[in-house]
Amino acid sequence: TLAIERSQDSLQVRMNDFMAIGMQRALAGLERKNILDQDLPLERWWGRATAEEPGDAYRLLVDACRLAVEETYTVDGDAVGIYAEKAGGSFGRPGESRRFFSDFSKAAYFGGLMPDWWRVGPNSNVDVDGLHAVARDPSGYFFIGHAQEVFDVRRRWGYQTTKVLRTLAHVVHEAMYDTSSGMRIRSFPHKQQATRKCQGCGANKKRLAFTEKRWEGDKERICNECVGSDVTCRLATSLVCQGPIRWDDKTGKRVTAEGYSTTHIIDHLLKMAGGAAKLKSVFYLFFGCINMKSSPFPLPEAELHRNQKRLKAHSDDGSTMAQYLLGKIMRDRDSVVLGKAGSRINTTIKLWTKSAMAGNAYAMGGLALLHRDAGEQATANHWGERALTATAIPEAAYNIAVALGGVGDNHDLPIDYARAAMLYSHAIDIDLGKNAFDFEELSSVFTGEELTMGFVDAVLKFGPNGDDQQGYQDLAKNNLDAIETYMANPQKAKKPDEGGKYCQKSKAAPLYSCIDPETLASSAICAISADDASYLCSTCLRRPAVGEKKLLKCSKCDGKALYCNPLCQRGHWPDHKSFCAKA
């Protein structure tokens, strides 16, 4: 009887595993279908690559091939490329990853999907050795023998480029197989690129000149130029503008293709606090300062006063984390603040502004919330964008995306589903794992018990709004699916904010106008000329968008200081009062 029960339990476990795998494949298939249904143009998928500098084309082609391998496995359950090569037992096929890439490259060329300067054969101008050097270098990012997941490619090339590569991967993979036999084609007897006649201009054009639906259609085979899909073609042309790998010179770490930081939250806090010892000190003081009015176990008043006084001393000494944490205590209406707090919200604004200008992403996120609550959406979004260039924080990306997708309370702002989807994908791709930060530095100060008791988890849950960052990632997955479904069929699908698939609302700081993230991520902002500076807020350095209200001038010093709004003015006062006539 016991053996039968164990056998039944084992069978149930296997059935649950099969069901989970089936669900994952169904979701992956739906995601790919939504992208393919958007019918993105493949024209100039190679970005800025040219015959003289083809490197990006090689790297993009490799990643498209690896996406084909990955999605063939995750969606269809078939092993090709590196997965077939590494299969165990008699199923393994040595060298299959190279063979698959070779077949993939041929199918892309003869399918009319390669640039005009990409020629093969006797008069080839493609550097075959250079292409192989990229694809066969085991120490490189683009080794064809390394599997890649979609989020890896997104971080390297960006959200929109990855969608184009996924479309390319699917189209080429379909062209690799004979529809009658289902066998992979290894020889292309016609030895020329496929072309079809455009019913608009009458010219024979390659597959690249059409979207996939128009290429396959018989009645409306009209090229992109005749359709006038100027916008989509420009989009494809400008997809790859940064190169595959970008580095932040200040941190020495990679940033995403969109210019957002990949620095782990813990590493950012360690830097802001000045090391693990100071991080531990200010956080424990903060937790010792939180004495809610409704708490059933309040701290003794003497201990509470002592902790708050010590945290303020750290803040006065210039600790950006202490400034942020003290401002957080002041902002919380339920917290007990001892001593002369003055205007609590003014104190918070000044502390967070000082901390944010020193690079603290949490203070930037806090200022975004304050500006949002005051109805200053443009400035709120500016601080949210700056937070993303400082560290990888899902909350900031999610909050901006929510309002961009028209789901928040700010429906008067322009809707930009494509950018909202990009920010959702960035929030999803952020690595919150404990292996992604300097655990060794933490363990040198914190005891094993302190770490295992959840200090790291507590910090990861400690965002500007006090919420779990993993929770924002889960919500972002749902919302990204809703937006992709809508973009795949906007004529029939309901908008994400109108029903169908519900997008989660949030206490969002929506995006409207901001300084370009690439500018913020560089030191160029420190070298603004006097003329340019006259159009920037003295506090947050935001430049108003066209048509937006003008910056406010300080009336007491002949406009030497300009501000987005009174909140920015109050935050800048500690610095401004030294030369303002009012002082």
Side-chain angles (χ1 to χ4, degrees):
T1 302
L2 183 60
I4 293 175
E5 290 178 352
R6 288 178 176 173
S7 177
Q8 290 175 340
D9 290 343
S10 177
L11 179 61
Q12 185 63 45
V13 170
R14 288 199 296 270
M15 289 179 63
N16 291 339
D17 290 342
F18 282 129
M19 291 177 64
I21 293 173
M23 181 62 70
Q24 290 174 358
R25 285 180 178 170
L27 292 174
L30 179 61
E31 180 184 346
R32 185 176 71 176
K33 180 180 181 301
N34 285 337
I35 290 175
L36 295 176
D37 285 346
Q38 292 176 39
D39 205 24
L40 296 172
L42 294 176
E43 193 171 5
R44 293 197 60 83
W45 60 260
W46 52 92
R48 292 182 173 182
T50 62
E52 292 74 26
E53 297 182 4
D56 273 356
Y58 297 162
R59 290 183 278 268
L60 285 160
L61 185 66
V62 170
D63 270 349
C65 179
R66 294 195 292 189
L67 283 171
V69 171
E70 176 66 21
E71 298 202 324
T72 299
Y73 179 75
T74 56
V75 178
D76 305 322
D78 295 331
V80 297
I82 186 60
Y83 289 138
E85 182 174 318
K86 299 298 182 181
S90 59
F91 295 99
R93 298 197 292 274
E96 175 61 12
S97 60
R98 291 189 179 188
R99 285 194 294 271
F100 185 86
F101 179 63
S102 175
D103 295 343
F104 187 90
S105 303
K106 292 177 183 176
Y109 176 76
F110 291 113
L113 293 165
M114 302 303 282
D116 291 334
W117 50 263
W118 188 293
R119 295 190 299 273
V120 298
N123 298 321
S124 173
N125 68 339
V126 177
D127 181 7
V128 178
D129 291 337
L131 177 60
H132 288 174
V134 171
R136 298 181 182 181
D137 179 10
S139 62
Y141 283 104
F142 301 94
F143 178 42
I144 198 65
H146 288 162
Q148 289 281 285
E149 296 186 25
V150 174
F151 81 88
D152 294 319
V153 180
R154 275 203 302 241
R155 290 177 69 176
R156 182 157 49 245
W157 294 108
Y159 169 74
Q160 190 65 33
T161 304
T162 301
K163 289 207 299 186
V164 172
L165 290 181
R166 293 176 77 176
T167 303
L168 177 67
H170 177 76
V171 170
V172 175
H173 190 241
E174 290 288 305
M176 290 173 65
Y177 292 85
D178 182 6
T179 54
S180 59
S181 65
M183 301 295 291
R184 198 157 89 204
I185 301 173
R186 296 186 178 279
S187 176
F188 294 84
H190 47 279
K191 295 298 181 183
Q192 60 184 0
Q193 298 187 67
T195 60
R196 289 185 179 177
K197 185 176 181 180
C198 170
Q199 296 176 352
C201 58
N204 288 322
K205 297 189 175 183
K206 294 194 302 182
R207 192 170 193 158
L208 284 173
F210 305 85
T211 64
E212 190 59 21
K213 289 182 180 178
R214 294 195 184 99
W215 172 266
E216 296 293 345
D218 294 327
K219 297 181 180 180
E220 297 183 354
R221 188 177 297 132
I222 303 175
C223 68
N224 296 330
E225 186 176 354
C226 291
V227 171
S229 55
D230 217 29
V231 175
T232 53
C233 287
R234 278 204 309 272
L235 174 66
T237 303
S238 62
L239 288 178
V240 184
C241 57
Q242 305 296 345
I245 301 297
R246 295 185 59 202
W247 295 87
D248 185 340
D249 293 334
K250 293 182 180 179
T251 63
K253 293 194 174 185
R254 280 186 294 166
V255 297
T256 67
E258 284 88 8
Y260 296 133
S261 174
T262 59
T263 301
H264 195 282
I265 292 175
I266 297 290
D267 286 334
H268 177 71
L269 295 182
L270 285 169
K271 179 182 177 182
M272 289 295 102
K278 292 184 178 179
L279 179 65
K280 178 179 179 179
S281 175
V282 294
F283 261 97
Y284 273 89
L285 283 175
F286 170 74
F287 293 137
C289 291
I290 303 175
N291 199 7
M292 297 300 178
K293 297 174 182 177
S294 58
S295 174
F297 305 105
L299 292 172
E301 185 172 314
E303 182 180 352
L304 185 65
H305 187 275
R306 183 169 58 253
N307 290 338
Q308 290 183 359
K309 189 174 181 180
R310 290 173 63 190
L311 186 62
K312 185 178 184 304
H314 282 287
S315 173
D316 293 341
D317 288 341
S319 169
T320 60
M321 281 309 301
Q323 290 162 0
Y324 168 72
L325 294 172
L326 187 60
K328 192 174 180 67
I329 294 171
M330 294 289 185
R331 180 176 182 254
D332 196 329
R333 294 178 181 178
D334 291 332
S335 64
V336 178
V337 179
L338 301 177
K340 295 182 179 180
S343 173
R344 292 176 61 166
I345 190 63
N346 275 343
T347 303
T348 296
I349 293 170
K350 292 173 184 177
L351 287 169
W352 282 1
T353 300
K354 189 174 184 179
S355 180
M357 297 309 288
N360 191 327
Y362 275 32
M364 296 173 190
L367 286 171
L369 297 176
L370 291 178
H371 283 276
R372 177 213 65 199
D373 292 343
E376 301 290 345
Q377 300 300 334
T379 310
N381 297 314
H382 171 78
W383 282 118
E385 286 277 338
R386 292 191 66 169
L388 289 176
T389 62
T391 189
I393 181 168
E395 179 179 349
Y398 175 82
N399 282 346
I400 297 172
V402 162
L404 272 180
V407 187
D409 299 326
N410 306 289
H411 294 282
D412 57 325
L413 296 176
I415 302 299
D416 189 343
Y417 289 123
R419 184 163 177 79
M422 180 274 288
L423 285 159
Y424 280 135
S425 71
H426 176 61
I428 295 167
D429 293 341
I430 289 174
D431 187 358
L432 295 175
K434 295 181 181 180
N435 294 325
F437 63 88
D438 192 351
F439 192 84
E440 184 176 345
E441 183 174 354
L442 279 185
S443 61
S444 66
V445 174
F446 292 89
T447 65
E449 183 179 1
E450 287 173 327
L451 292 176
T452 56
M453 289 296 287
F455 176 82
V456 173
D457 290 331
V459 171
L460 290 178
K461 293 179 180 179
F462 182 79
N465 207 28
D467 295 325
D468 186 354
Q469 297 303 304
Q470 179 64 54
Y472 284 107
Q473 291 186 314
D474 295 338
L475 294 175
K477 291 176 184 178
N478 177 72
N479 290 9
L480 178 61
D481 183 40
I483 286 182
E484 288 282 20
T485 301
Y486 170 73
M487 290 195 297
N489 196 348
Q491 288 77 26
K492 295 182 179 180
K494 290 183 178 181
K495 292 183 179 180
D497 57 316
E498 293 178 347
K501 185 143 190 177
Y502 175 67
C503 276
Q504 299 291 332
K505 292 189 177 182
S506 165
K507 299 176 181 179
L511 176 67
Y512 183 60
S513 65
C514 62
I515 297 177
D516 182 75
E518 184 177 356
T519 303
L520 289 173
S522 70
S523 58
I525 200 165
C526 300
I528 298 173
S529 68
D531 293 336
D532 290 338
S534 64
Y535 298 102
L536 297 178
C537 173
S538 300
T539 305
C540 66
L541 305 181
R542 188 181 71 85
R543 189 189 305 277
V546 176
E548 192 181 345
K549 64 182 182 182
K550 294 182 179 180
L551 295 175
L552 304 176
K553 294 182 180 180
C554 176
S555 60
K556 297 296 183 180
C557 59
D558 299 326
K560 292 180 181 178
L562 302 174
Y563 301 106
C564 300
N565 51 63
L567 285 179
C568 281
Q569 183 180 23
R570 286 147 71 184
H572 189 240
W573 178 244
D575 294 327
H576 179 54
K577 66 181 180 181
S578 62
F579 61 86
C580 180
K582 183 179 179 180

